[in-house]
Amino acid sequence: MTARTGNVLRGEDVPARERFDYWRELIGRTRASEVTSAHADDFRAEMRRLELGPVTLLRTSFPSTRFRRTAGMVRRSDPEVYHLTLLLDGGLALTRDARGRTETFTPGDLHVLDSSDPFDLRASPAPGRADRRVEAVGIDFPTCLLPLPPQRLRELLGRGFSGREGTSALLADFLVGLDRQAALLGDAEAPRLGTVVVDLVAAWLARELDAEAALPDDARGRALVQNVRTFVRRNLHDPELTPTVIAGAHHVSVSYLHRLFTRHGDGETLAAWIRRLRLAKAHRDLADPALRGLPVQAVAARCGIPRASDLSRAFRAAYGLSPSEHRRRAPAERAGDDHAGG
């Protein structure tokens, strides 16, 4: 079992008989509930926990487990936080009302819970393989951070939403990407990313409620910029990817998009950011042994740069050498890294 709160704890550091209690304690820091499992005596789980200012990112992998938050627990202590979960593998069955109605979730589904409400959540791995576990990534954040009327949100709590299309897909992609990059994040980046992820949650829920007008201008702006960044990364190979095309895809004017991106992009223009992303991709691809047989012109095309001469000129300006020189040096640099690491 691993946990990350700014450091890493390896599985062998926790005796087997203590793993379940330790994992339950970590979960309980923001998701206080009664946690039980048929695997408590030999609990094999993983957790990464990352603080993003007031937002907590959790990446969990665990065997079948039940989480119950009772009305008594709510009365005794309520941190007033929302729990958003994206299920990656396995299944969840959620019961929230006295009539016992149960909502089920499958991989790719998103749902939100409020710590002020009782719930009974059963998590089970996908059937068919004994080594499968429940896999999920989620965030916990104070309810006061969400700039939407709480009474309107009540109708969305506990419901399952597909994270495969529209605004919810952008949120799901961001959560997965944030988890993958967790180990590389600096202390200064964490609070800003916490703000961005809450903005994306707000934009998604506002869309579901048809209440985008209720969002503050800053929150809408930050969410739009993040949507644009995701759109650009998905279409970086397209040489026709210009600010005009991007603005049209997001139903805003080019001038508004430029102002917004510069304001929320540390002063960097949208065109400069796209150029930097394309050069960084070319830099990686040219050093990739699997792409060594690909001509430089083909690498340029993969990065949305139609002419090799354009790549060569911009690459030399950015990195001080030509694409071919970088490709020749890459094996020696990797060999040096391997030797140093050994």
Side-chain angles (χ1 to χ4, degrees):
M1 177 170 59
T2 61
R4 186 179 188 276
T5 56
N7 56 11
V8 177
L9 179 69
R10 303 186 186 281
E12 56 267 24
D13 294 334
V14 182
R17 65 182 180 278
E18 299 176 14
R19 288 175 190 161
F20 180 65
D21 287 340
Y22 181 71
W23 187 84
R24 183 167 53 183
E25 188 271 329
L26 287 176
I27 287 286
R29 291 181 186 179
T30 51
R31 301 193 173 199
S33 59
E34 295 176 354
V35 184
T36 55
S37 174
H39 305 274
D41 292 338
D42 186 20
F43 199 73
R44 300 179 183 274
E46 296 179 3
M47 180 189 297
R48 286 193 294 274
R49 181 185 173 91
L50 183 66
E51 306 297 338
L52 305 170
V55 179
T56 299
L57 176 75
L58 295 172
R59 172 64 165 88
T60 53
S61 174
F62 55 94
S64 56
T65 303
R66 183 180 184 183
F67 307 84
R68 292 181 67 245
R69 181 162 173 80
T70 65
M73 295 180 72
V74 173
R75 286 193 296 271
R76 288 193 297 273
S77 176
D78 182 10
E80 297 184 349
V81 298
Y82 287 126
H83 310 304
L84 180 143
T85 300
L86 169 64
L87 183 62
L88 303 175
D89 197 5
L92 299 175
L94 173 68
T95 304
R96 293 180 60 245
D97 60 35
R99 286 174 285 186
R101 290 181 299 188
T102 298
E103 180 102 7
T104 59
F105 310 118
T106 57
D109 286 348
L110 289 156
H111 73 272
V112 180
L113 293 175
D114 187 336
S115 66
S116 300
D117 298 330
F119 62 82
D120 187 345
L121 182 66
R122 297 173 184 266
S124 304
R129 276 176 45 190
D131 59 342
R132 293 286 286 272
R133 294 188 287 190
V134 180
E135 308 273 350
V137 61
I139 57 167
D140 299 333
F141 59 95
T143 56
C144 61
L145 293 184
L146 203 58
L148 290 169
Q151 63 273 18
R152 293 289 311 277
L153 287 172
R154 303 301 301 174
E155 62 190 82
L156 302 183
L157 296 177
R159 287 174 50 188
F161 297 89
S162 173
R164 301 176 187 85
E165 57 188 20
T167 310
S168 60
L170 295 172
L171 172 60
D173 287 349
F174 188 81
L175 289 174
V176 172
L178 192 57
D179 170 62
R180 287 174 179 164
Q181 298 296 317
L184 305 177
L185 298 179
D187 292 341
E189 297 175 279
R192 180 180 65 82
L193 289 171
T195 298
V196 170
V197 73
V198 173
D199 287 339
L200 289 175
V201 173
W204 162 53
L205 294 176
R207 178 70 60 86
E208 296 292 343
L209 292 168
D210 194 23
E212 285 98 335
L215 294 177
D217 289 343
D218 270 357
R220 277 187 290 180
R222 287 189 295 263
L224 176 58
V225 168
Q226 188 56 49
N227 290 347
V228 166
R229 290 181 183 274
T230 300
F231 180 83
V232 168
R233 289 189 177 98
R234 287 177 174 172
N235 296 279
L236 198 60
H237 62 281
D238 185 356
E240 301 300 320
L241 185 69
T242 63
T244 300
V245 170
I246 296 166
H250 292 83
H251 311 291
V252 297
S253 70
V254 176
S255 59
Y256 176 72
L257 177 61
H258 280 311
R259 289 198 305 273
L260 201 63
F261 196 90
T262 302
R263 185 192 315 158
H264 296 289
D266 298 324
E268 186 176 33
T269 66
L270 176 58
W273 181 72
I274 294 173
R275 184 167 56 250
R276 180 162 60 85
L277 252 61
R278 284 176 165 158
L279 288 175
K281 176 172 171 53
H283 191 271
R284 291 192 304 271
D285 287 357
L286 288 165
D288 187 344
L291 302 176
R292 194 150 186 80
L294 205 62
V296 171
Q297 184 172 353
V299 172
R302 283 167 55 93
C303 302
I305 304 173
R307 290 187 294 272
S309 58
D310 291 341
L311 172 64
S312 183
R313 184 168 52 253
F315 198 94
R316 186 179 291 279
Y319 299 109
L321 72 171
S322 72
S324 297
E325 289 170 333
H326 170 61
R327 173 172 265 177
R328 285 195 298 271
R329 290 186 185 185
E333 292 173 356
R334 283 195 303 273
D337 291 342
D338 292 343
H339 181 72

